[in-house]
Amino acid sequence: MDNAPILDATTILVVDDDKLMRQHMRRVMEQAGYQVVEAQNGEQAIAAYTQFRPSLVLLDAVMPVMDGFACCRHLRSFPNGDSVPILIVTRLDDAESLQLAFDAGATDFITKPINDIVLRQRVRHLLQASRTMAELRASTDAAQASRQQVTNILESISDGFFALDNEWRFTYINQHAQVFLQKTRAELIGKNIWDEFPEAVGSTFDQEYRQARAQQIAVAFEEFYPPLNTWFAVHAYPSQDGISVYFQNINDRKRLEAIARTRERELADFLENASVGIHWVGADGIIVWANQAELNLLGYTREEYIGQHIAKFHADREVIDDILQRLNAGETLCDYEARLLCKDGSIRDVSIGSNVFWKDKQFIHTRCFTRDITDRKRMENQLQQTMQLQQAVLNSANYTIISTTTDGTILTFNAAAEKLLGYSASEIVGKTTPVIIHDREEVVSRARELTQELGVTIEPGFEVFVAKARRGEPTEQEWTYIRKDGSRFPVLLSISAMYDANGKITGFLGIGSDITERKRAEAELQRQNLRSQLFAEITLKIRQSLQLESILQTTVNEIQKFLRADRVIIFRLWLDGSGNVVREAVVNGYPAILGQHIYDPCFGEEYIQKYRQGRISAIHDVELAEIHACHKELLQQYGVRANLVVPIFLKRELWGLLIAHQCSSPRVWSSFETELLRQLSDQIGIALAQAQMLAEETRYAQELARSNAELQQFASVASHDLQEPLRKIQAFGNRLKASCGDALNEQGLDSLERMQNAAGRMQTLIDDLLMLSRVTTKAQPFVTVDLNRVVKEVLSDLEVRIQQTGGKVEVSSLPKIDADPVQMQQLLQNLLSNALKFHKQDTPPVVKLFSQLFDSQHQPVTDGAIATSCQIMVEDNGIGFEQKYLDRIFNVFQRLHSRSQYEGTGIGLAICRKIVERHQGNITAQSSPGQGAKFSVTLPIKQLVGDNSE
């Protein structure tokens, strides 16, 4: 060792079999400015120590060949081996391991994982302490020549030492004591210890020192001295002159002991409260300890579990036998799966990690960790079932499922893809990208679209399909797939990215649905929509116009444009098979035939009958059609190469034909086009019927106007010409009665009376007829009418009749309404007059007149509601009538009683009904013989604009 090279910088020997740990500690030491020498086991460490004489050794405790404890003992055996600090680096922090380290000669220890800062500080302090110890030794050696041997020994020891006389004064203090007590020899020699360290008075130091001197016995104790923040281990020896005190600073040891106790408590707490089950089993299979997690897992109490054989809790005996056999053989088990029996009878799947704690080659107990994997096993089973289901879905799906890597290489190609595209999975998977099954032009076009949309260049290729999916946007696009045989079909392709647990894209998934049928359906729907649109437009024009010529011309124009036919005509058919072209839309360049009278000698009754039955004729090519030569010649005369003929019906009678001509070339007429013409021919029939109805309505209106004029003329005649003879008859009758009355016998007087009565009845009849006709012809405009004022006037006019009959009229409040005031007076007068007239012979008439308001739902008006109509009731106690005569009593000249019983013309109630109808109301009655009658008139409160007309 004397010939070992001396390195300039402080040298650290790093010894660890773990290369990564060794390199890490080297890097930390070099960063701190130290030079580092490495060794990977104990033997290399001894060789390096001998060669380089390091200032400090970082020594791993557990290594192959020679462990750290043996290596430490060997290093300490070298000359001056105890002067080099040895720092044990270990994962073992139990008290037994620590004791082994210190017994082997370790200066200190540090546990893994290592805190770099703590390691640097620990190394620095140990190096300082080592240098200090070296300095003290050097001082001691230098003083040996001039000081007594005892002093030299005291100065050379690592303990602090001082001597006290019987007065408790310091007589000697060595270097370590000065350091420990933080006072110099000059400050303490001759001074009283209790004066210099007053805090020690009454403390353990005071008590022990006094006991040693008083009893002359050596004392040893450990005590903490707060002013110096130091723990001391003290040995005091009495003598006749005082006492001698040896003491050590045991701060580091106390700290290590505290750490060890804390670690022991933490370890015990960790094991007991760990979330993973832990148990120890002896060599005989008996459970000797278990933590709470183990007990909770299985549901047993500590008393029920500990002391039992471990096999009792295993569902499979062969499994526990295998576990014990392997452990006895020294094997360490990792993730060994087993099934444990719970107290409630259930079984938990667990993963076991276990090894044996050996001591002096004796099996002490196992250290077994039990992790519950029941949920994981269940999830694994579910996952397996899901994967099987997914595989079944992949195989049975009728849509293509293709997955790829991020660069486009196909990974999955399901059975539907094989069937639809004609490739086998072995031809595709791992060998190509989806571009092979796509239309190149579509790919290039889509690349241009995406480049513009995303603002970055997208090359035509695989990126076209996944550019948006890479950006987190699932895409759905229509594409054309190309089969292996070159045939094509449309698909709706949905593409999404697949991610791992960290959110990184791992590939892409494309699901394609064959939309061939959907495309066909969409095309058909589009055709139907076009047909419906045209049909709706033509129908709307038909409904908006009453001009038949305009309707028919619009129809042929729209059909010609929609069908792109060369000519469309409406042919008016006559009974002999000939007819006229009444409307035409023709493309320029082809002959117009509008207005021509066409006769086809082949078009006889047989053909007409077929069209009556709804026959539709479609000729795709006139040249090839099997038709009569004369009919072919007629069509060729007008340049027709193909035609479509649909019958037009007017009120189920054949009216004519709707015909489309193709003159430029033959044409196959589709069912869509045929159906369109059929529907439009129906609309033409409706238009014809509307025109016919309009003509009939016009004739009716004209007839009505003529009738009204004649009625007006009759009213004028009745008011003048008819009444003039009556007035003369009445006047001459009165003169005859006045001048010759006395000369006439009884029969003559009777005849004269009858003549005058007949003339009076005729006058009344004429007046009533005039009144009936004037309801509409002489009507007044509607104004606001207070029915209360009207009824007062009526009662004034009926005052004589009321007195004659001894009757009474009770009137309640009546509303104001929009009405003709004269007609309202006539209405109420007729109703009240009838009520007074048709009374019982022995009973005075009692008539009640009242009203009720109703809302728009014809419900009685409540507070705050708006009234829209009123009901006026006239109720009497007269003779009544049978309800079956209700409709009859409102007709003109209808009487239920003879003129001898009750006077009248039978026109009064007819006038009432006509007045009510003019006011947009209704009138009805309820009655039974002998029980009186109740007439109800319902009228609107407000009349609509325009209802003032007659």
Side-chain angles (χ1 to χ4, degrees), residues 795 797-810 831-847 876-879 901-903:
L795 292 177
D797 293 341
L798 295 176
E799 183 177 359
V800 174
R801 174 163 290 187
I802 294 172
Q803 292 176 355
Q804 289 175 347
T805 59
K808 180 174 65 174
V809 178
E810 299 176 358
L831 292 174
L832 291 174
S833 177
N834 277 359
L836 293 169
K837 178 170 60 175
F838 294 102
H839 66 87
K840 299 173 184 177
Q841 293 297 326
D842 55 350
T843 303
V846 177
V847 182
D876 62 56
N877 62 341
I879 61 174
Q901 291 178 293
Y902 296 97
E903 62 181 3

Side-chain angles (χ1 to χ4, degrees), residues 99-111:
Q99 191 60 48
L100 285 174
F102 288 117
D103 290 344
T107 307
D108 202 348
F109 82 102
I110 188 169
T111 58

Side-chain angles (χ1 to χ4, degrees), residues 366-610:
T366 66
R367 293 171 288 199
C368 183
F369 295 84
T370 308
R371 186 160 50 89
D372 186 359
I373 61 170
T374 304
D375 292 339
R376 192 194 78 187
K377 294 292 286 185
R378 183 173 62 254
M379 291 177 64
E380 287 176 353
N381 292 335
Q382 293 175 349
L383 178 61
Q384 184 177 7
Q385 294 174 1
T386 300
M387 292 179 66
Q388 292 173 349
L389 177 61
Q390 288 176 343
Q391 190 60 43
V393 170
L394 284 174
N395 293 334
S396 62
N398 59 359
Y399 41 81
T400 65
I401 300 177
I402 301 173
S403 68
T404 72
T405 60
T406 55
D407 61 1
T409 302
I410 294 176
L411 298 177
T412 303
F413 197 78
N414 75 333
E418 292 180 316
K419 180 179 178 182
L420 290 172
L421 291 165
Y423 293 96
S424 66
S426 60
E427 294 177 278
I428 297 293
V429 174
K431 299 177 182 178
T432 184
T433 71
V435 175
I436 192 175
I437 59 174
H438 279 267
D439 185 300
R440 175 66 181 173
E441 292 183 1
E442 284 187 355
V443 174
V444 172
S445 175
R446 182 60 176 157
R448 287 195 296 266
E449 292 175 5
L450 288 172
T451 297
Q452 183 175 3
E453 179 182 347
L454 301 179
V456 295
T457 301
I458 304 297
E459 296 295 337
F462 176 70
E463 192 62 22
V464 167
F465 309 115
V466 301
K468 283 196 170 183
R470 285 191 195 277
R471 292 160 174 78
E473 302 178 29
T475 60
E476 192 171 71
Q477 179 91 12
E478 290 186 7
W479 295 90
T480 300
Y481 270 180
I482 303 177
R483 298 184 178 92
K484 186 176 180 180
D485 62 9
S487 60
R488 298 164 175 251
F489 64 98
V491 295
L492 181 63
L493 181 59
S494 175
I495 300 174
S496 57
M498 298 184 292
Y499 299 87
D500 61 16
N502 297 320
K504 181 180 178 182
I505 295 178
T506 59
F508 299 94
L509 179 66
I511 300 177
S513 302
D514 183 355
I515 57 173
T516 303
E517 291 304 319
R518 196 194 79 183
K519 283 291 189 182
R520 290 198 190 103
E522 287 176 352
E524 178 61 25
L525 180 61
Q526 185 177 14
R527 287 195 297 272
Q528 291 180 1
N529 287 338
L530 290 173
R531 181 178 66 191
S532 299
Q533 182 180 357
L534 176 61
F535 180 74
E537 289 175 355
I538 293 178
T539 301
L540 180 60
K541 290 178 180 178
I542 291 173
R543 303 274 169 104
Q544 288 178 337
S545 175
L546 295 178
Q547 300 298 321
L548 181 61
E549 292 78 5
S550 174
I551 293 171
L552 297 181
Q553 189 60 53
T554 297
T555 301
V556 295
N557 289 342
E558 295 297 331
I559 293 175
Q560 187 273 323
K561 286 190 291 184
F562 180 78
L563 295 183
R564 296 182 181 177
D566 295 326
R567 181 189 294 116
V568 176
I569 65 173
I570 294 177
F571 185 70
R572 179 70 168 98
L573 191 62
W574 306 114
L575 293 177
D576 61 357
S578 66
N580 293 337
V581 178
V582 297
R583 285 291 175 270
E584 178 187 37
V586 63
V587 175
N588 291 335
Y590 295 103
I593 59 176
L594 179 63
Q596 291 190 20
H597 180 78
I598 298 174
Y599 175 71
D600 185 351
C602 301
F603 196 73
E605 179 62 27
E606 178 184 353
Y607 282 92
I608 295 176
Q609 185 61 29
K610 290 181 179 180

Side-chain angles (χ1 to χ4, degrees), residues 18-77:
D18 186 335
K19 182 178 179 180
L20 294 177
M21 180 58 71
R22 193 167 66 247
Q23 290 176 347
H24 176 73
M25 289 192 290
R26 179 188 187 104
R27 185 167 56 254
V28 174
M29 292 296 99
E30 286 178 344
Q31 289 174 351
Y34 304 120
Q35 188 166 338
V36 178
V37 177
E38 294 182 18
Q40 65 182 14
N41 56 49
E43 291 181 351
Q44 290 183 9
I46 293 171
Y49 183 91
T50 303
Q51 181 179 359
F52 297 105
R53 296 175 62 185
S55 303
L56 184 142
V57 180
L58 291 175
L59 182 60
D60 186 18
V62 180
M63 295 184 295
V65 183
M66 178 186 293
D67 63 20
F69 304 122
C71 181
C72 183
R73 285 192 292 270
H74 198 92
L75 293 178
R76 290 305 189 201
S77 68

Side-chain angles (χ1 to χ4, degrees), residues 26 148 177 190 258 285 342 344 442 488 506 592 611 623 665 837 919:
R26 179 188 187 104
Q148 298 177 1
C342 300
D344 62 6
E442 284 187 355
R488 298 164 175 251
T506 59
Y611 282 122
E623 296 293 336
S665 62
K837 178 170 60 175
H919 286 75

Side-chain angles (χ1 to χ4, degrees), residues 161-200:
F161 173 81
F162 60 82
L164 299 175
D165 61 16
N166 288 327
E167 299 298 326
W168 303 104
R169 293 186 297 245
F170 286 97
T171 60
Y172 179 78
I173 177 170
N174 73 353
Q175 290 292 332
H176 283 86
Q178 294 180 80
V179 173
F180 294 157
L181 298 178
Q182 300 179 15
K183 290 192 177 184
T184 65
R185 184 178 291 112
E187 290 176 309
L188 294 177
I189 294 298
K191 302 293 180 64
N192 186 287
I193 187 173
W194 312 122
D195 293 338
E196 296 302 318
F197 300 96
E199 293 83 355

Side-chain angles (χ1 to χ4, degrees), residues 571-573 607-616 646-658 677-690 692:
F571 185 70
R572 179 70 168 98
L573 191 62
Y607 282 92
I608 295 176
Q609 185 61 29
K610 290 181 179 180
Y611 282 122
R612 286 196 183 105
Q613 295 171 355
R615 172 182 182 263
I616 296 176
V646 179
I648 300 172
F649 293 95
L650 173 58
K651 297 182 179 179
R652 300 185 180 181
E653 294 294 330
L654 182 62
W655 179 88
L657 303 173
L658 176 60
L677 254 65
R678 187 195 65 77
Q679 291 182 354
L680 291 176
S681 72
D682 291 343
Q683 292 302 309
I684 293 173
I686 293 173
L688 293 170
Q690 285 180 340
Q692 191 178 71

